[in-house]
Amino acid sequence: MQHVLIIVNDAPYGSEKLFNALRLAIQLNEQDYSPVRVSLFLLSDAVTAVLPKQNPIEGYNIQQMLEIVIAQKAQVKFCGSCMSARGLTELNMIEGCEMATMDDLAQWVLVADKTITF
């Protein structure tokens, strides 16, 4: 089984980078002929995507997409330092998303067969 790591740095809304990263993760998880293990790591402003109950005005809902990726058994982690820098560590997070460190990301990079950044 191939391990694909997707790293995202942009905010969930205002840019479509996280939206497209999640679209790719969902499609990778649906591949029957080549099983894939997807890991998603959120850095910088992308960490705000794990805050639940956001009310997007755009045509997609990042929380719903994250929940689909999690239901597909992908691991979703976000940078704890990035959350702390934004004063967000005391807030609730979407269930299934895990706070992590740069060491966790480094370990994922070392074991991933492919790493994609958005």
Side-chain angles (χ1 to χ4, degrees):
M1 180 178 293
Q2 193 173 167
H3 179 205
V4 177
L5 169 60
I6 301 173
I7 302 171
V8 186
N9 289 285
D10 270 8
Y13 299 102
S15 149
E16 292 187 356
K17 289 183 180 181
L18 181 55
F19 169 67
N20 287 321
L22 290 169
R23 289 175 57 213
L24 176 60
I26 291 166
Q27 289 303 309
L28 287 169
N29 283 324
E30 292 179 353
Q31 299 305 306
D32 291 329
Y33 60 88
S34 179
V36 175
R37 179 170 56 108
V38 175
S39 299
L40 179 70
F41 200 97
L42 305 174
L43 288 167
S44 301
D45 287 338
V47 298
T48 61
V50 302
L51 301 174
K53 300 179 183 175
Q54 295 185 45
N55 189 16
I57 57 172
E58 298 172 26
Y60 54 90
N61 185 304
I62 293 297
Q63 179 173 349
Q64 289 175 345
M65 295 179 80
L66 276 170
E67 289 169 345
I68 290 168
V69 168
I70 292 164
Q72 292 175 323
K73 307 294 186 217
Q75 285 188 287
V76 177
K77 293 185 179 185
F78 57 92
C79 175
S81 297
C82 299
M83 290 295 277
S84 181
R86 288 158 180 77
L88 303 174
T89 54
E90 300 301 317
L91 299 176
N92 290 330
M93 309 302 163
I94 294 170
E95 188 174 334
C97 297
E98 179 184 343
M99 190 177 300
T101 65
M102 288 304 287
D103 185 56
D104 295 315
L105 176 57
Q107 293 301 313
W108 271 2
V109 168
L110 291 172
V111 299
D113 296 304
K114 292 182 176 138
T115 300
I116 303 167
T117 61
F118 282 85

